[in-house]
Amino acid sequence: MKKFLVGILTVAAIAFSKESKAQVISASGQFGWSSPTGTLFIDDATDEKLSGGGLGVCADVMYQSEDLLNNKLLVGVGYHSSVLIAVGDDIGSFRFYGLSNYALKAQYNLLDGPFKPFGSLAMGVGVISTPETTSYNSTTGENDVIIPALYGYSFGLRPEFGFEAGGENGAFIMSFGMQVPTSYNIKEFWEEPHTAGAWQISLGYRYKYGL
């Protein structure tokens, strides 16, 4: 991860340290379906994978210029999040978690022109969370917290492949990404660490602004 961070920062420093042509700042948003993976989503009783899925969202802000491999390389920051629900044969196997990744991101476009297949890699901090459980208190008229939201942290790694189709001002996106399962530990909630990750297929749009 250290080498990746150094590489991203070095490329950004070179890009901004001199006058560049055809500089572009872009921002994208994607929505799609996520499927959980990892030991957290395996039934403790049967050792079988639980069925389930949930909503996934992605967003990034990226910079590109002719200095970065002739506009084919984009560097910036990304956010990826999934709300994951999984269940087995009984209610005791129910899982409900949020899984996010806050990362530095690099994307490489394989082709020029309006149709651009791409591959990207985001590396940063992975966060898994449990929902807060509340109960309405009729005496005070407020919601009392029964179980607070709990969080676990780990290394976040997310490769992604897809394509963009559009012009100079923006492009539609279709992508397939995976938050690689890594080990998390919520000590207040689990007896031992679990791995968690998610596959995600998404559709979205990238808005481009030329500098």
Side-chain angles (χ1 to χ4, degrees), residues 172-186:
F172 291 96
I173 308 169
M174 182 174 183
S175 70
F176 179 78
M178 180 187 187
Q179 184 154 343
V180 177
T182 52
S183 181
Y184 297 87
N185 190 12
I186 303 179

Side-chain angles (χ1 to χ4, degrees), residues 148-170:
L150 302 173
Y151 300 89
Y153 301 90
S154 184
F155 172 61
L157 177 65
R158 189 180 188 276
E160 181 182 26
F161 303 92
F163 67 85
E164 297 183 3
E168 295 182 357
N169 297 323

Side-chain angles (χ1 to χ4, degrees), residues 25-47:
I25 295 291
S26 65
S28 76
Q30 298 184 65
F31 298 88
W33 177 257
S34 294
S35 178
T37 184
T39 60
L40 181 59
F41 301 99
I42 294 178
D43 194 320
D44 296 330
T46 64
D47 286 333

